[in-house]
Amino acid sequence: MYSCIMCELLICRYFILNTYQLSRTRMRRHGHLQGHRNKRGWVWNQFFVLEEYLGPEPQYVGKLHSDMDHGDSEVKYTLSGEGAGSIFTIDQITGDIHALVGLDRSEKAFYTLKAQAVDIHTGLALEPESQFIIKVQDINDNEPRFLDGPYSASVPEMSPTGTFVTQVTATDADDPTYGSSARIVYSIVQGQPYFSVDAKTGVIRTALANMDREVKQQYQVLLQAKDMGGQLGGLASTTTINISLSDVNDNPPRVFHLHVPESAAKGSSVGRIQAYDQDTGSNAWVDYAIIPGDDGDAFDVVSHQQSQEGVILVKKPLDYETKKSYTFRVEASNAEPDSRFLHLGPFKDSVTVKVSVVDVDEPPVFTRASYVMDVYEDSPPGIIIGSVTAQDLDPSSSAVRYSLEWQTEADGCFDIDTLEGTISTNEQLDRENAAQHNITVVSTKLNNPLLFSKVSVIVNVLDVNEFPPELDAPSDTFMCEKSRVGQVSSSPSHVNVNAMLMLSVQRRGAAPPSSLAFFSGNANTLV
């Protein structure tokens, strides 16, 4: 009986102690142990999740932690809100949050969730529910887009450089607040040198002054928008802008406006003009003539017998880069005037003709018709002996590349820098083998390799004094000791007349020379 009583007392003490400890733990978690409530103590990192994540494991987002969690596994974390359970999951014991699926920032930029720490045994909240945001961090996965292209715009002809034409902007779905993924830079791919674009704003302006509608009315600009600030690796897209020149009153009345390519040959037809005569038959025949002066000397006009039109012909070579248009007057008169009615005249009229020269893509032009360069025969290989220069005179101003046209084996003695046009030797030259080389340099337009030009380069190999004088055949020559000045002693027949020989005269038995004689270049004699 005593044992039973002691057993019951021990059991009661065990339950009392357990109840007391549990009560203290709960009071501590609820902040009642010290007589006041502790402040809330959530701890976590800033939560970001990378979009388009394709890793094999769920993407780690961050960690929730409450200061009520003492690491004894007595606290459980719960998650609610946008995407909780389907997109985001939380480890109830550690508080680690993971993303289960890949996210697209352009579809949803952030998610708002709520977290709570509860007692793992009772399920009672240890802290008030707290709200936090998981932000989807941007990557550059969207190229800029022109939403309304292609575009159309108009600008008056003859406008000065810098005249506003239009503004075109692109949008980028990437995050503009993070990195440079949405920072767009504009550039013109096609449409230079006529138009320019502001790299930041997309404002398009005229880049060439006095564009003439009568010469060309329509222009097409290909505009590019590139993100990452235009840096390498950025994504890009393009759009087309059709720009037309609107008319201004820049031409006098009764002007025939003709066009001719600058490549038109002498004698080729530019166009036709026609004067009207109310008479009939031969009385309506018209003679045409260009009135001297102005720009008429570059053209000629002949009368077409059947149509009675005046045919304008090219008389001199044309060059768009030198002169873009010509204006002159053409006079039309009766071919067979009647003397009885001359007092009623004049039986003639005149009209202004404007001929616009159309640019044709032409080959590069060398600055000289030919080049002459000198190099000494003992110069080491690789030495630069000169340079050539060619330019693209067209408005596109393409870069030029240089090359050598090998016509003979000797041309392999030289090399040329493709960018600078400097010519150098590949090996040491020998004047006695070839005193002169004629090489051909080719210049090619970088944007159109089919257009090229050639120039001749003469390379003179200069002599150096590398051989001593010698007689063609060995001979013995003697002089008398008492010979008079100018007396002929010997006549070598095979000695170079341009060489100078120095001879010494010795007395028999004497060691050093006692006198000198020289070879005369005027005759093959020794004096």
PDB file of all heavy atoms in Angstrom, residues 2 18-19 28 43 45 48 109 176 226 311 320 375 397 423 445 448 460:
ATOM      1  N   TYR A   2       1.924   1.228   0.702  1.00  0.00           N
ATOM      2  CA  TYR A   2       2.851   2.362   0.758  1.00  0.00           C
ATOM      3  C   TYR A   2       3.467   2.591  -0.604  1.00  0.00           C
ATOM      4  O   TYR A   2       3.604   3.722  -1.088  1.00  0.00           O
ATOM      5  CB  TYR A   2       3.932   2.094   1.794  1.00  0.00           C
ATOM      6  CG  TYR A   2       4.999   3.142   1.853  1.00  0.00           C
ATOM      7  CD1 TYR A   2       4.754   4.353   2.515  1.00  0.00           C
ATOM      8  CD2 TYR A   2       6.239   2.944   1.243  1.00  0.00           C
ATOM      9  CE1 TYR A   2       5.728   5.317   2.551  1.00  0.00           C
ATOM     10  CE2 TYR A   2       7.205   3.904   1.291  1.00  0.00           C
ATOM     11  CZ  TYR A   2       6.956   5.112   1.960  1.00  0.00           C
ATOM     12  OH  TYR A   2       7.939   6.077   2.012  1.00  0.00           O
ATOM     13  N   ASN A  18       5.749  18.840 -15.839  1.00  0.00           N
ATOM     14  CA  ASN A  18       5.569  18.979 -17.305  1.00  0.00           C
ATOM     15  C   ASN A  18       4.637  20.131 -17.639  1.00  0.00           C
ATOM     16  O   ASN A  18       4.851  20.900 -18.566  1.00  0.00           O
ATOM     17  CB  ASN A  18       5.020  17.684 -17.888  1.00  0.00           C
ATOM     18  CG  ASN A  18       6.125  16.662 -18.105  1.00  0.00           C
ATOM     19  OD1 ASN A  18       7.296  16.993 -17.953  1.00  0.00           O
ATOM     20  ND2 ASN A  18       5.751  15.433 -18.440  1.00  0.00           N
ATOM     21  N   THR A  19       3.551  20.228 -16.838  1.00  0.00           N
ATOM     22  CA  THR A  19       2.601  21.319 -17.073  1.00  0.00           C
ATOM     23  C   THR A  19       3.261  22.665 -16.829  1.00  0.00           C
ATOM     24  O   THR A  19       3.053  23.643 -17.563  1.00  0.00           O
ATOM     25  CB  THR A  19       1.368  21.148 -16.170  1.00  0.00           C
ATOM     26  OG1 THR A  19       0.773  19.878 -16.419  1.00  0.00           O
ATOM     27  CG2 THR A  19       0.342  22.241 -16.426  1.00  0.00           C
ATOM     28  N   ARG A  28       6.791  32.221 -22.666  1.00  0.00           N
ATOM     29  CA  ARG A  28       7.979  32.836 -23.270  1.00  0.00           C
ATOM     30  C   ARG A  28       7.701  33.173 -24.728  1.00  0.00           C
ATOM     31  O   ARG A  28       8.053  34.221 -25.216  1.00  0.00           O
ATOM     32  CB  ARG A  28       9.167  31.890 -23.154  1.00  0.00           C
ATOM     33  CG  ARG A  28      10.474  32.513 -23.662  1.00  0.00           C
ATOM     34  CD  ARG A  28      11.608  31.499 -23.678  1.00  0.00           C
ATOM     35  NE  ARG A  28      11.838  30.942 -22.354  1.00  0.00           N
ATOM     36  CZ  ARG A  28      11.606  29.680 -22.038  1.00  0.00           C
ATOM     37  NH1 ARG A  28      11.136  28.850 -22.934  1.00  0.00           N
ATOM     38  NH2 ARG A  28      11.849  29.241 -20.817  1.00  0.00           N
ATOM     39  N   VAL A  43      12.945  37.559 -39.383  1.00  0.00           N
ATOM     40  CA  VAL A  43      14.245  37.799 -40.015  1.00  0.00           C
ATOM     41  C   VAL A  43      14.258  37.078 -41.355  1.00  0.00           C
ATOM     42  O   VAL A  43      14.007  35.868 -41.406  1.00  0.00           O
ATOM     43  CB  VAL A  43      15.414  37.287 -39.143  1.00  0.00           C
ATOM     44  CG1 VAL A  43      16.735  37.555 -39.850  1.00  0.00           C
ATOM     45  CG2 VAL A  43      15.384  37.961 -37.788  1.00  0.00           C
ATOM     46  N   ASN A  45      16.041  37.467 -45.707  1.00  0.00           N
ATOM     47  CA  ASN A  45      16.789  38.223 -46.706  1.00  0.00           C
ATOM     48  C   ASN A  45      15.810  38.866 -47.690  1.00  0.00           C
ATOM     49  O   ASN A  45      14.637  38.523 -47.725  1.00  0.00           O
ATOM     50  CB  ASN A  45      17.735  37.305 -47.467  1.00  0.00           C
ATOM     51  CG  ASN A  45      18.788  36.712 -46.556  1.00  0.00           C
ATOM     52  OD1 ASN A  45      19.260  37.361 -45.640  1.00  0.00           O
ATOM     53  ND2 ASN A  45      19.117  35.452 -46.795  1.00  0.00           N
ATOM     54  N   PHE A  48      14.373  37.655 -54.075  1.00  0.00           N
ATOM     55  CA  PHE A  48      14.372  37.805 -55.527  1.00  0.00           C
ATOM     56  C   PHE A  48      14.447  36.421 -56.142  1.00  0.00           C
ATOM     57  O   PHE A  48      15.104  35.525 -55.610  1.00  0.00           O
ATOM     58  CB  PHE A  48      15.574  38.626 -56.023  1.00  0.00           C
ATOM     59  CG  PHE A  48      15.533  40.064 -55.593  1.00  0.00           C
ATOM     60  CD1 PHE A  48      16.152  40.469 -54.421  1.00  0.00           C
ATOM     61  CD2 PHE A  48      14.874  41.010 -56.356  1.00  0.00           C
ATOM     62  CE1 PHE A  48      16.106  41.791 -54.015  1.00  0.00           C
ATOM     63  CE2 PHE A  48      14.833  42.340 -55.966  1.00  0.00           C
ATOM     64  CZ  PHE A  48      15.448  42.726 -54.787  1.00  0.00           C
ATOM     65  N   ALA A 109       5.535  40.680 -62.435  1.00  0.00           N
ATOM     66  CA  ALA A 109       6.826  41.188 -61.970  1.00  0.00           C
ATOM     67  C   ALA A 109       7.102  40.830 -60.512  1.00  0.00           C
ATOM     68  O   ALA A 109       8.264  40.758 -60.116  1.00  0.00           O
ATOM     69  CB  ALA A 109       6.905  42.705 -62.157  1.00  0.00           C
ATOM     70  N   PRO A 176      13.069  48.189 -66.790  1.00  0.00           N
ATOM     71  CA  PRO A 176      13.873  49.398 -67.001  1.00  0.00           C
ATOM     72  C   PRO A 176      14.632  49.846 -65.755  1.00  0.00           C
ATOM     73  O   PRO A 176      15.516  50.686 -65.839  1.00  0.00           O
ATOM     74  CB  PRO A 176      12.822  50.444 -67.414  1.00  0.00           C
ATOM     75  CG  PRO A 176      11.559  49.966 -66.778  1.00  0.00           C
ATOM     76  CD  PRO A 176      11.623  48.467 -66.773  1.00  0.00           C
ATOM     77  N   LYS A 226      18.452  48.880 -80.450  1.00  0.00           N
ATOM     78  CA  LYS A 226      19.232  47.830 -79.789  1.00  0.00           C
ATOM     79  C   LYS A 226      19.278  48.108 -78.298  1.00  0.00           C
ATOM     80  O   LYS A 226      19.564  49.233 -77.874  1.00  0.00           O
ATOM     81  CB  LYS A 226      20.642  47.780 -80.380  1.00  0.00           C
ATOM     82  CG  LYS A 226      21.480  46.608 -79.893  1.00  0.00           C
ATOM     83  CD  LYS A 226      22.816  46.553 -80.628  1.00  0.00           C
ATOM     84  CE  LYS A 226      23.624  45.328 -80.238  1.00  0.00           C
ATOM     85  NZ  LYS A 226      24.923  45.276 -80.967  1.00  0.00           N
ATOM     86  N   VAL A 311      16.094  67.235-129.250  1.00  0.00           N
ATOM     87  CA  VAL A 311      16.719  66.159-128.483  1.00  0.00           C
ATOM     88  C   VAL A 311      17.964  66.708-127.796  1.00  0.00           C
ATOM     89  O   VAL A 311      18.892  67.179-128.471  1.00  0.00           O
ATOM     90  CB  VAL A 311      17.074  64.958-129.377  1.00  0.00           C
ATOM     91  CG1 VAL A 311      17.677  63.843-128.534  1.00  0.00           C
ATOM     92  CG2 VAL A 311      15.846  64.474-130.136  1.00  0.00           C
ATOM     93  N   TYR A 320      28.724  63.715-111.046  1.00  0.00           N
ATOM     94  CA  TYR A 320      27.792  64.119-109.992  1.00  0.00           C
ATOM     95  C   TYR A 320      28.517  64.784-108.832  1.00  0.00           C
ATOM     96  O   TYR A 320      28.008  65.740-108.230  1.00  0.00           O
ATOM     97  CB  TYR A 320      27.019  62.894-109.505  1.00  0.00           C
ATOM     98  CG  TYR A 320      26.117  63.148-108.320  1.00  0.00           C
ATOM     99  CD1 TYR A 320      24.827  63.639-108.490  1.00  0.00           C
ATOM    100  CD2 TYR A 320      26.554  62.883-107.015  1.00  0.00           C
ATOM    101  CE1 TYR A 320      24.000  63.874-107.416  1.00  0.00           C
ATOM    102  CE2 TYR A 320      25.736  63.117-105.927  1.00  0.00           C
ATOM    103  CZ  TYR A 320      24.455  63.613-106.134  1.00  0.00           C
ATOM    104  OH  TYR A 320      23.654  63.847-105.050  1.00  0.00           O
ATOM    105  N   VAL A 375      63.991  52.998-104.625  1.00  0.00           N
ATOM    106  CA  VAL A 375      64.492  52.195-103.531  1.00  0.00           C
ATOM    107  C   VAL A 375      65.911  51.745-103.874  1.00  0.00           C
ATOM    108  O   VAL A 375      66.216  51.411-105.022  1.00  0.00           O
ATOM    109  CB  VAL A 375      63.571  50.968-103.276  1.00  0.00           C
ATOM    110  CG1 VAL A 375      63.455  50.094-104.504  1.00  0.00           C
ATOM    111  CG2 VAL A 375      64.072  50.158-102.080  1.00  0.00           C
ATOM    112  N   SER A 397      30.731  57.256 -99.481  1.00  0.00           N
ATOM    113  CA  SER A 397      32.103  57.341 -98.978  1.00  0.00           C
ATOM    114  C   SER A 397      32.553  56.025 -98.347  1.00  0.00           C
ATOM    115  O   SER A 397      32.926  55.955 -97.179  1.00  0.00           O
ATOM    116  CB  SER A 397      32.217  58.482 -97.956  1.00  0.00           C
ATOM    117  OG  SER A 397      33.569  58.689 -97.599  1.00  0.00           O
ATOM    118  N   ILE A 423      53.448  50.468 -99.738  1.00  0.00           N
ATOM    119  CA  ILE A 423      54.101  49.420-100.515  1.00  0.00           C
ATOM    120  C   ILE A 423      55.466  49.132 -99.901  1.00  0.00           C
ATOM    121  O   ILE A 423      56.226  50.051 -99.588  1.00  0.00           O
ATOM    122  CB  ILE A 423      54.239  49.843-101.991  1.00  0.00           C
ATOM    123  CG1 ILE A 423      52.843  50.091-102.584  1.00  0.00           C
ATOM    124  CG2 ILE A 423      54.977  48.789-102.797  1.00  0.00           C
ATOM    125  CD1 ILE A 423      52.877  50.617-104.006  1.00  0.00           C
ATOM    126  N   LYS A 445      36.205  49.118-103.570  1.00  0.00           N
ATOM    127  CA  LYS A 445      35.263  49.645-102.586  1.00  0.00           C
ATOM    128  C   LYS A 445      34.845  48.529-101.644  1.00  0.00           C
ATOM    129  O   LYS A 445      34.492  47.435-102.075  1.00  0.00           O
ATOM    130  CB  LYS A 445      34.032  50.239-103.276  1.00  0.00           C
ATOM    131  CG  LYS A 445      34.330  51.486-104.080  1.00  0.00           C
ATOM    132  CD  LYS A 445      33.088  52.053-104.733  1.00  0.00           C
ATOM    133  CE  LYS A 445      32.152  52.652-103.732  1.00  0.00           C
ATOM    134  NZ  LYS A 445      31.089  53.472-104.357  1.00  0.00           N
ATOM    135  N   ASN A 448      31.189  47.498-102.077  1.00  0.00           N
ATOM    136  CA  ASN A 448      30.847  46.959-103.389  1.00  0.00           C
ATOM    137  C   ASN A 448      32.127  46.492-104.069  1.00  0.00           C
ATOM    138  O   ASN A 448      32.721  47.216-104.865  1.00  0.00           O
ATOM    139  CB  ASN A 448      30.126  48.000-104.243  1.00  0.00           C
ATOM    140  CG  ASN A 448      29.560  47.393-105.519  1.00  0.00           C
ATOM    141  OD1 ASN A 448      29.809  46.226-105.850  1.00  0.00           O
ATOM    142  ND2 ASN A 448      28.784  48.176-106.250  1.00  0.00           N
ATOM    143  N   ASN A 460      61.876  52.406-109.235  1.00  0.00           N
ATOM    144  CA  ASN A 460      63.245  52.489-109.725  1.00  0.00           C
ATOM    145  C   ASN A 460      64.201  51.932-108.672  1.00  0.00           C
ATOM    146  O   ASN A 460      64.161  52.361-107.509  1.00  0.00           O
ATOM    147  CB  ASN A 460      63.617  53.938-110.046  1.00  0.00           C
ATOM    148  CG  ASN A 460      62.796  54.492-111.196  1.00  0.00           C
ATOM    149  OD1 ASN A 460      62.582  53.820-112.204  1.00  0.00           O
ATOM    150  ND2 ASN A 460      62.316  55.722-111.043  1.00  0.00           N
TER     151      ASN A 460
END
